[in-house]
Amino acid sequence: MTDRVYPSAKPNGTATATATTTPPATTANPNAAPMKNQMYNNPSLIPYRPTPTAYHRHNRRRCFCMCCFWTILSICIILLLAAIAGAIFYVLYHPQRPTFSVSSLKISSFNLTTTTDDTTHLTTKLNLTLSTKNPNKKLIYNYNTISITALSNQVVLANGSFPGFTSSPSYITIKHSTLSMVSQVLDADSVLSLRSDLKRKAGLPVTILMDAMVVVKMDKLKSKRVGIRVTCQGIHGQTPKRKAPAVASTNNAKCKVDLRINILKWTF
């Protein structure tokens, strides 16, 4: 038998299959729309974005707070510096108030006259001698004109003045002045008060008020004018008899010096 040879079935070329890759289809998220609706329905989930108006208000509030802070800090610094300067001044100069005393008071004339129309007039004349001392060692007091008023239980008896003068350190100055009142009309209460006091054994109580402006000098420095009020109490006098003046008792007289500070229309 003859064997048959069958040709093998071989491809002439290698066939390459090119696969085309397609991207996977995007699947829609079914929860996206509900989340967006939920954010709009619930404002707390929406991120806070400040509006321009709120931003400006925040800046204004911050600027106001900073201004207040610096203002208060500046005031505190000024007060601290003033306290330090005052302490240094006190240590260097040890300032003391001037002292006043009534050396003598003579009542030369004291007349209460009632006219036919039931009006009472007061006429007086008083001679006052005053002494003042500057207890400081480095300060000089320059007094302007000193106005003087004599009273008895708020009833004005006489007015007068001292001329201005300079009080040197540790120096005593003696001043004389004449106080008077000419035919001053008094009300019924003032007349009753004066006549009641004149009947007392101790005599008529007299208070001396003095107001002055003072300039303080220290070395080459000079202060502004400062007001002072001197109140002298404990004086008693009798009305003069005949032509001789009556000498008032000044043994218990004491004078107090107070500062007078003017702020606007108020005096303290």
Side-chain angles (χ1 to χ4, degrees):
M1 288 179 64
T2 302
D3 296 329
R4 293 181 180 181
V5 178
Y6 293 98
S8 61
K10 291 183 180 179
N12 294 329
T14 305
T16 304
T18 303
T20 303
T21 305
T22 57
T26 304
T27 59
N29 188 359
N31 296 327
M35 281 296 296
K36 186 180 294 185
N37 294 333
Q38 186 178 2
M39 291 175 63
Y40 282 108
N41 292 332
N42 190 358
S44 62
L45 298 178
I46 302 176
Y48 172 73
R49 292 190 180 95
T51 61
T53 305
Y55 180 76
H56 290 309
R57 288 179 180 175
H58 177 72
N59 282 346
R60 290 178 182 175
R61 189 181 297 113
R62 183 178 180 182
C63 292
F64 177 76
C65 294
M66 292 298 295
C67 290
C68 291
F69 169 76
W70 285 112
T71 301
I72 295 174
L73 181 62
S74 301
I75 294 174
C76 292
I77 292 175
I78 293 173
L79 293 177
L80 179 61
L81 294 177
I84 294 174
I88 294 174
F89 173 79
Y90 184 82
V91 171
L92 292 178
Y93 295 98
H94 194 66
Q96 300 180 53
R97 297 182 184 184
T99 59
F100 289 80
S101 62
V102 177
S103 300
S104 67
L105 177 65
K106 296 180 180 180
I107 303 175
S108 301
S109 176
F110 193 98
N111 296 323
L112 278 174
T113 306
T114 302
T115 59
T116 55
D117 58 353
D118 200 23
T119 303
T120 303
H121 299 262
L122 174 64
T123 300
T124 60
K125 184 178 180 181
L126 291 76
N127 296 318
L128 175 66
T129 302
L130 181 79
S131 65
T132 177
K133 180 181 180 181
N134 181 2
N136 299 282
K137 297 181 179 180
K138 297 181 180 180
L139 301 182
I140 299 175
Y141 291 124
N142 287 334
Y143 295 92
N144 290 351
T145 301
I146 301 176
S147 61
I148 312 169
T149 303
L151 303 95
S152 177
N153 294 329
Q154 304 303 320
V155 180
V156 178
L157 300 179
N159 294 313
S161 63
F162 286 129
F165 62 95
T166 299
S167 182
S168 301
S170 303
Y171 188 78
I172 298 176
T173 304
I174 299 176
K175 305 294 290 184
H176 303 275
S177 179
T178 299
L179 289 68
S180 62
M181 180 75 72
V182 179
S183 191
Q184 175 67 31
V185 179
L186 301 180
D187 54 44
D189 293 337
S190 299
V191 174
L192 182 62
S193 176
L194 288 178
R195 288 178 175 172
S196 177
D197 290 336
L198 288 172
K199 295 178 180 180
R200 294 183 179 182
K201 184 177 181 180
L204 186 72
V206 180
T207 300
I208 303 295
L209 293 181
M210 293 174 283
D211 292 309
M213 301 298 293
V214 186
V215 176
V216 183
K217 287 186 177 181
M218 40 201 152
D219 296 333
K220 296 182 179 181
L221 301 178
K222 183 173 66 173
S223 72
K224 294 184 177 181
R225 294 191 303 172
V226 180
I228 63 170
R229 163 161 285 189
V230 183
T231 306
C232 300
Q233 296 178 326
I235 306 170
H236 294 83
Q238 300 285 349
T239 56
K241 296 179 180 180
R242 298 179 183 178
K243 295 183 179 181
V247 180
S249 174
T250 59
N251 296 330
N252 297 324
K254 294 182 180 180
C255 298
K256 181 179 66 173
V257 180
D258 296 316
L259 294 177
R260 302 276 286 177
I261 301 175
N262 295 322
I263 300 178
L264 298 179
K265 296 181 179 181
W266 293 275
T267 302
F268 300 92

